[in-house]
């Protein structure tokens, strides 16, 4: 217990001395050793890397886990599983949960009803989207978030520790410089002062008793107050001791500065590692969005099929594209005399807008591609936005699809991706 009290008192004394020294440096009353410019640049670069890495890490976590409450809970759960050395179980994503609710609702409403069958279709694709999102979260956490977090919790803590040691070595060096400066000033002052015992006058006559009395006082004065030469000798020893301490402090400071410099130069390797992680993260995002685009295209085709299988107009209007959002060519394209119009007794399960977009059985027209489209099988034709193709229809073909020709390539193309030209 006594040792702890002494250590606490010593630490408090060092803290107070450091505080006084920092204050004097800020006020310009104490000498401060400046670091090497290259080392200063490395420190500034490291601080910049640390600050932006923290911001990127936090914002990426918010992007992948938008709800702050869920984010905090996920971090706590991840911390607990990490301490227990167990693998974190995969969690159900929001799209997967939504898809499950849709499937359960379809069972309640009846899978054979138009609404129930559509809920089943959309629910299945929501679950696929949720699976793609879960894969994105896992890949991003492993290839991007974990390396950034490891840098902040590992490498940066080591750098910060060595920088604190360097600052302490600098303060010790400045103290030794100040002590040496004071010792030299005292030595110079003592050398310039006259020796009183050697310069006092001796041309006076003393009686025997006075001489004896004076001899006693002089012997006491020599024993208690050293002469000028002895005082200069003591001060010279103090200067030598201060110079030795300064050399030791300078050596320790230089050694610590070299260690810190090597660690800070490793920031370049950290940047390269984070660059690779960033590329992996971007690739994971690209894969995720491509999967989502593919799933939504498939879902759109399934919804069109569902719309065509319904005989009443109201469910069809609920699942088919809104006519107000279709290109003007879909609604007002010219019709030839040979256009086939469905009679009221045998009309097709599509809206009036979709009937007006049908092309004649014979003949062809030019069409402008509105969006990119990737073919899902060999019977379809891939499209690029803004390109012009030739389209026509054939008897018995799904009205939501046309035959497109582009050079030597031919295949089915969706009507909703085209703007028919006159």
């Amino acid at each position: 217990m006594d040792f702890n009290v002494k250590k606490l008192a010593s630490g408090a004394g060092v803290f107070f001395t450091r505080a006084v020294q920092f204050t004097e440096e800020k006020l310009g009353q104490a000498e401060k050793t400046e670091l090497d410019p290259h080392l200063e640049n490395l420190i500034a670069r490291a601080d910049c890397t640390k600050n932006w890495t923290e911001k990127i890490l936090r914002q990426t976590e918010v992007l992948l886990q938008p709800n702050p409450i869920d984010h905090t809970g996920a971090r706590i759960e991840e911390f607990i599983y990490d301490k227990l050395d167990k693998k974190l179980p995969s969690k159900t994503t929001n799209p997967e949960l939504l898809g499950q609710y849709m499937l359960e609702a379809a069972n309640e409403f009846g899978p054979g009803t138009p609404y129930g069958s559509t809920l089943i279709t959309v629910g299945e694709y929501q679950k696929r989207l949720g699976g793609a999102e879960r894969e994105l979260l896992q890949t991003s956490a492993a290839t991007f978030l974990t390396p950034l977090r490891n840098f902040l919790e590992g490498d940066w803590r080591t750098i910060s520790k060595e920088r604190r040691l360097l600052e302490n070595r600098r303060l010790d060096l400045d103290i030794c410089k100040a002590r040496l400066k004071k010792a030299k000033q005292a030595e110079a002052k003592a050398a310039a002062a006259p020796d009183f015992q050697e310069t006092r006058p001796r041309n006076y006559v003393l009686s025997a008793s006075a001489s004896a009395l004076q001899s006693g006082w002089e012997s006491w004065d020599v024993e208690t107050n050293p002469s000028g030469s002895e005082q200069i000798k003591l001060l010279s020893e103090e200067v030598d001791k201060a110079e030795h301490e300064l050399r030791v402090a300078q050596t320790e400071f230089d050694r610590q500065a070299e260690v810190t410099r090597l660690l800070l130069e490793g920031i370049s390797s950290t940047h390269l590692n984070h660059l690779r992680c960033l590329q992996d993260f971007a690739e994971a995002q690209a894969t995720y969005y491509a999967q989502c685009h593919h799933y939504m295209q498939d879902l759109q085709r399934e919804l069109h099929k569902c719309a065509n299988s319904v005989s009443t107009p109201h469910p069809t209007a609920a699942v088919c594209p809104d006519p107000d959002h279709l290109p003007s060519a879909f609604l007002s394209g010219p019709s030839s005399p040979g256009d086939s119009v469905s009679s009221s007794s045998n009309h097709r399960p599509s809206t009036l807008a979709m009937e007006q977009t049908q092309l004649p059985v014979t003949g062809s027209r030019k069409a402008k591609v509105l969006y990119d489209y990737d073919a899902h099988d060999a019977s379809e034709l891939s499209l690029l936005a803004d390109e012009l193709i030739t389209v026509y229809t054939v008897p018995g073909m799904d009205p939501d699809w046309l035959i497109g020709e582009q050079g030597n390539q031919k295949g089915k193309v969706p009507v909703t991706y085209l703007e028919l030209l006159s």
Side-chain angles (χ1 to χ4, degrees), residues 361-397:
V361 176
T362 59
S364 61
R365 293 175 60 181
K366 291 291 184 180
K368 179 181 178 181
V369 180
L370 299 177
Y371 319 104
D372 292 345
Y373 178 75
D374 295 329
H376 295 86
D377 51 49
S379 65
E380 298 180 4
L381 179 65
S382 297
L383 304 176
L384 294 177
D386 297 330
E387 68 178 348
L388 296 178
I389 63 174
T390 302
V391 294
Y392 58 91
T393 186
V394 296
M397 186 174 182

Side-chain angles (χ1 to χ4, degrees), residues 74-310:
R75 288 299 306 273
I76 295 175
E77 184 179 11
E78 180 182 352
F79 175 79
I80 294 176
Y81 273 89
D82 182 66
K83 292 301 181 182
L84 296 176
D85 197 17
K86 292 184 178 180
K87 184 179 179 180
L88 185 67
S90 60
K91 299 177 62 176
T92 302
T93 59
N94 291 328
E96 287 178 319
L97 188 60
L98 175 60
Q100 185 62 34
Y101 288 164
M102 287 183 175
L103 295 178
E104 294 176 0
N107 292 329
E108 292 288 337
F109 299 146
T113 63
Y115 184 40
S117 61
T118 304
L119 279 174
I120 292 177
T121 301
V122 177
E124 290 293 342
Y125 279 95
Q126 288 296 329
K127 295 182 70 173
R128 294 183 186 181
L129 292 174
E133 180 180 344
R134 184 174 65 253
E135 184 178 354
L136 172 65
L137 295 176
Q138 294 175 351
T139 304
S140 300
T143 61
F144 189 62
L145 295 181
T146 299
L148 296 185
R149 195 176 293 117
N150 289 341
F151 166 73
L152 294 175
E153 297 177 357
D155 296 345
W156 182 253
R157 289 185 178 180
T158 303
I159 292 175
S160 300
K161 178 182 177 181
E162 297 300 330
R163 285 179 60 181
R164 287 193 297 269
L165 289 176
L166 177 63
E167 185 67 14
N168 291 334
R169 296 292 181 267
R170 184 191 67 79
L171 294 173
D172 294 339
L173 178 62
D174 291 340
I175 291 176
C176 291
K177 289 181 178 179
R179 186 181 297 122
L180 177 60
K181 183 178 180 180
K182 291 180 180 180
K184 288 185 176 180
Q185 290 177 349
E187 182 183 25
K189 184 177 180 180
D195 190 351
F196 175 75
Q197 293 183 355
E198 295 180 357
T199 58
R200 61 185 176 179
R202 296 288 185 178
N203 55 353
Y204 53 84
V205 180
L206 300 175
S207 61
S209 58
S211 299
L213 180 61
Q214 184 173 354
S215 299
W217 280 105
E218 287 182 353
S219 61
W220 176 83
D221 185 63
V222 169
E223 292 176 358
T224 57
N225 297 316
S227 62
S229 59
E230 293 177 348
Q231 186 176 5
I232 292 175
K233 183 178 179 182
L234 292 176
L235 292 175
S236 179
E237 293 177 354
E238 288 292 332
V239 171
D240 294 339
K241 181 179 178 182
E243 289 179 345
H244 174 71
E245 293 177 350
L246 177 61
R247 287 193 296 269
V248 173
Q250 185 69 51
T251 301
E252 293 180 352
F253 172 77
D254 294 339
R255 184 185 300 112
Q256 186 60 38
E258 181 66 17
V259 172
T260 306
R261 182 185 65 80
L262 292 176
L263 288 175
L264 293 175
E265 288 179 347
I267 293 294
S268 298
S269 300
T270 300
H271 285 184
L272 293 177
N273 183 34
H274 290 179
L275 172 61
R276 291 190 292 267
C277 296
L278 182 60
Q279 293 172 343
D280 293 339
F281 175 62
E283 183 177 354
Q285 278 188 308
T287 302
Y288 166 70
Y289 289 120
Q291 288 178 338
C292 292
H293 179 67
H294 176 71
Y295 291 150
M296 295 311 297
Q297 283 185 330
D298 291 344
L299 175 59
Q300 188 180 30
R301 290 195 301 172
E302 292 293 335
L303 292 179
H304 285 317
K305 292 179 180 178
C306 292
N308 292 331
S309 63
V310 179

Side-chain angles (χ1 to χ4, degrees), residues 309-379:
S309 63
V310 179
S311 59
T312 59
H314 295 290
T316 304
V319 296
C320 288
D322 186 0
D324 296 336
H325 294 84
L326 291 174
S328 60
F330 287 176
L331 303 178
S332 59
S335 300
S336 64
D339 287 349
S340 60
V341 180
S342 301
S343 63
S344 59
S345 61
N346 185 26
H347 95 33
R348 298 182 58 83
S350 60
T351 62
L352 179 60
M354 294 304 296
E355 291 177 358
Q356 292 178 346
T357 62
Q358 295 181 6
L359 290 176
V361 176
T362 59
S364 61
R365 293 175 60 181
K366 291 291 184 180
K368 179 181 178 181
V369 180
L370 299 177
Y371 319 104
D372 292 345
Y373 178 75
D374 295 329
H376 295 86
D377 51 49
S379 65

